[in-house]
Amino acid sequence: MRRLAALAALLPGFLAVPAAAQELVLWHAYHGDEAAALAEWAEDYGRRTPGVSVRLLEVPAEAITQKLTNAIPRGHGPDVFVWAHEQLGAWVETGLLAPLPEEVEREAEETQLPGTVDPLVYGGRLYGLPIAFKSAALFRNTALVPDAPRTTGELLAAARRFSDPGAGRFGLVYEVGSVYYQAAWLHGFGGGVRGPDGALGLTAPGNAPALEFAARLVAEGVVPADANGALVTELFTTGRAAFAIQGPWFVADCRRAGIPFAISSLPEVSETGLPARPFLTIETAYLSAGSRHPAAALALLRDLAGPAAARIRALRGGQPVSARAAYDDPRIAGDPALAAFREQLGRAVPMPAEPAMRALWEPAAFALRSVLRGDLDAATALDQAERRFRIFTRPPPAASDPLPFALGAGVVLLGLAIFAVHRGRRAQVGRRIWRHRHDYLYLVPAGIGVLLLLVVPFVVGAAVSLAAHRGGGEFSFVGLSNFARILSSADFGLTEPESFYFTLAVTLLWTVLNVALHLALGVALALLLHEPWVRLRGVWRVLLIVPWAVPNYITALIWKGMFHRQLGAINAILGWFGVEPIGWFDRFSTAFAANLATNVWLGFPFMMVVTLGALQTIPRDVEEAATIDGAGAWTRFWRITLPMIRPSLVPAVVLGSVWTFNMFNVIYLVSGGDPEGRTEILISQAYRWAFSRQEQYGYAAAYAVLIFGILLAFDLATRRLTRTEAGR
């Protein structure tokens, strides 16, 4: 009996279901050594914390912001995520982040390096814990420059001695056209991205001298004019640059190249005596407002920001970590790269976290590049950039009563319905549909697809065009205000690049030239490949279709590289003929030509394939009869071939026009709208208003509706013209 009683007592323990482990999801955008270090910490944390597992999800850096915005409000986002602190203000206002308790804030101030916690406070609350920091610093090739310069005077003296642009050597390399890197000189000359009143803007007195300083560096040949990250890496790691301004991510490239290098803080600006202060980015661990396990997620957050995790990320990932206790480890304290970036931390300016900062990048880049190209003096460029920034951040239109608009729209829709019913009765459409009712059932799946994928998104977009987006994800009804501002050019003059009419003119020019060249090249090549005397016609057809088969964004990036001033193949070919390197994206004509060449390469195969198919329908005896009658090649083409292939070419031209009118990828990836937005087309301009100018979704949707209207009018006009020609 005693044994039975003992077994009965143990039975509930055997039958009990183990508690399910809490799975915490952590999103990040790390890769390489940083991702490996994070994975090592996550595995260690899972071992140390019974009942909790950590699932890491690597999200591409260019997509993480959008994915967070979409996922967290819908309840399927991460519990914790790691990203730079610049988006903090926008995320707080849209409710994506959970504030941290006050005791965590006090703990962070005591355990983290000075300057890494304050940027994470927004509205008086702490919304994340710092885990690392990143800023630019000065790299030097110690074989060329043994000692670190203390002032810009010393820096430029050493850089000028080494510079020889003709031989491909530069004293200093950095992305001179990037506002991020230019910020060091802005702050060093007493300027920055805040005005005298502390508000975001470009009116600080030191900004003009800073831009002029950068322009001098380029004019003297000390800095390459069109440097991007690839060129900076190429020049410095091959010993063709004495100095480079880069961040911690550059250390691995230098070590792999095996060059002798050292890192130091950016020097003082000789003209002002102030240090050059780069932007500071705090790599931050955030607690998602949609976490299903907030207490466990907070514990994970604190551990990730703690010294043990910091040691792993510093030693394996090479990160300049923010936990003070990590530097007690002699391996970390003795690392010269980490020590240099820790020193630069005290002379860096945290990136502003206000939502309006996202709208400042474009105007600031406009001012910087205008001065570098010599198009405008620094003061004028900054004044125009400040005006653009104020327009981009203007308050939304005043809300209006939707009832009158809804009543008017209802009347219009009712009238259209009555008209459709009347015409349907006259044409006996209902009887024909009923007679073929079983046949129409086969169209139901396609109809549902069209409804869900085309009609519903269009209706939603049209509705958004009547609204204004405000902070926190709120929309208010503003009626036709967005259309009125666009069509009246209320913000920009007719000849300014941001004007709807200027962009429309560029779009029409872009479409007409592209379609004309697509058609001319496609038809010419098709006629050539149709001739029986051409050998290996099948091979040539396959090869000429390849540009159309390759995804257009890949082709666009390849052509972008080919047009690069220093590294591009096109300038290299021109150099064989003694032509100086061309800055293809410095002028409208050359930037437009670069876009045009790329899109012609992408588009002519489509016209060629359509024409080849149409040529197969022309009987050979017709052409032979015309030849016997004495008709020349041009006469045969104009009088026989073209009329017979025209029915196939017209739909192809219409499709090509629509595709080209909305060819976003080429514009965005090749010229990026440069110079100063002059090569933007309507669809890329709409993208700018939606995603880089204060998320003005209603304004961007109004652009989209206008684009639809233009293309619809073009389609109707083409159909009417086609019917008129057919009736002759």
Side-chain angles (χ1 to χ4, degrees), residues 357-371:
M357 183 63 194
R358 294 182 66 188
L360 187 64
W361 292 109
E362 184 183 339
F366 159 82
L368 173 59
R369 293 169 188 170
S370 297
V371 174

Side-chain angles (χ1 to χ4, degrees), residues 524-532 534 537 540-541 544 608 612:
L525 289 170
L527 290 172
L528 181 62
L529 294 176
H530 187 60
E531 293 296 328
V534 176
R537 286 187 295 172
W540 292 115
R541 289 177 182 179
L544 289 171
M608 183 190 74
L612 279 171

Side-chain angles (χ1 to χ4, degrees), residues 502 506 509 584-593 674-675 678-679:
F502 181 95
V506 172
L509 177 66
W584 287 94
F585 306 112
D586 290 351
R587 297 288 178 268
F588 171 79
S589 57
T590 53
F592 188 87
D674 284 339
R678 291 188 177 93
T679 57

Side-chain angles (χ1 to χ4, degrees), residues 199-562:
L200 287 176
L202 297 167
T203 59
N207 286 347
L211 298 189
E212 293 166 356
F213 173 77
R216 287 199 306 272
L217 296 180
V218 174
E220 294 176 8
V222 175
V223 175
D226 198 18
N228 56 19
L231 181 61
V232 170
T233 302
E234 170 72 16
L235 292 174
F236 190 78
T237 57
T238 56
R240 290 182 288 158
F243 297 97
I245 299 177
Q246 275 286 10
W249 51 87
F250 195 56
V251 173
D253 293 322
C254 296
R255 288 175 175 166
R256 278 195 296 268
I259 63 168
F261 73 98
I263 310 170
S264 58
S265 296
L266 292 171
E268 290 184 354
V269 175
S270 299
E271 290 85 343
T272 63
L274 299 173
R277 304 176 65 196
F279 271 140
L280 174 68
T281 296
I282 309 297
E283 292 285 335
T284 308
Y286 299 98
L287 177 61
S288 168
S291 173
R292 296 186 179 88
H293 313 290
L298 179 60
L300 179 140
L301 199 73
R302 297 170 75 172
D303 193 89
L304 179 58
R311 291 188 188 96
I312 295 173
R313 289 183 285 103
L315 294 173
R316 180 158 186 184
Q319 288 186 340
V321 293
S322 56
R324 296 187 192 186
Y327 293 90
D328 295 337
D329 189 320
R331 295 171 297 174
I332 298 175
D335 186 310
L338 297 179
F341 283 106
R342 183 178 179 183
E343 181 182 354
Q344 184 69 76
L345 171 64
R347 304 173 72 176
V349 177
M351 187 88 72
E354 295 99 313
M357 183 63 194
R358 294 182 66 188
L360 187 64
W361 292 109
E362 184 183 339
F366 159 82
L368 173 59
R369 293 169 188 170
S370 297
V371 174
L372 292 176
R373 285 193 291 263
D375 295 342
L376 298 171
D377 63 89
T380 303
L382 287 166
D383 286 342
Q384 292 190 14
E386 179 70 16
R387 173 174 166 264
R388 280 173 164 78
F389 175 63
R390 297 305 166 196
I391 292 173
F392 294 162
T393 56
R394 68 183 186 274
S400 57
D401 185 4
L403 182 59
F405 188 90
L407 292 175
V411 170
V412 171
L413 291 175
L414 180 61
L416 291 175
I418 294 173
F419 176 74
V421 170
H422 178 67
R423 288 202 61 178
R425 285 182 176 178
R426 289 182 58 186
Q428 297 183 343
V429 173
R431 291 184 180 180
R432 291 205 300 268
I433 292 176
W434 181 254
R435 189 165 55 248
H436 297 284
R437 59 188 180 278
H438 298 297
D439 300 331
Y440 281 110
L441 289 176
Y442 292 102
L443 299 178
V444 171
I448 293 174
V450 170
L451 179 67
L452 295 179
L453 299 178
L454 294 177
V455 177
V456 172
F458 175 77
V459 172
V460 172
V464 172
S465 70
L466 306 175
H469 178 258
R470 289 173 168 80
E474 298 179 359
F475 287 87
S476 60
F477 181 81
V478 296
L480 299 176
S481 297
N482 291 322
F483 294 94
R485 294 188 74 88
I486 292 172
L487 297 177
S488 66
S489 290
D491 299 315
F492 297 99
L494 294 178
T495 59
E496 291 186 88
E498 291 83 359
S499 164
F500 173 79
Y501 297 102
F502 181 95
T503 309
L504 176 61
V506 172
T507 307
L508 293 175
L509 177 66
W510 161 258
T511 304
V512 170
L513 289 179
N514 269 290
V515 174
L517 290 171
H518 291 168
L519 188 62
L521 283 174
V523 171
L525 289 170
L527 290 172
L528 181 62
L529 294 176
H530 187 60
E531 293 296 328
W533 54 265
V534 176
R535 301 174 68 88
L536 301 175
R537 286 187 295 172
V539 175
W540 292 115
R541 289 177 182 179
V542 171
L543 291 177
L544 289 171
I545 290 173
V546 168
W548 189 46
V550 175
N552 57 27
Y553 66 88
I554 294 176
T555 302
L557 290 173
I558 292 172
W559 279 84
K560 171 77 170 180
M562 291 171 60

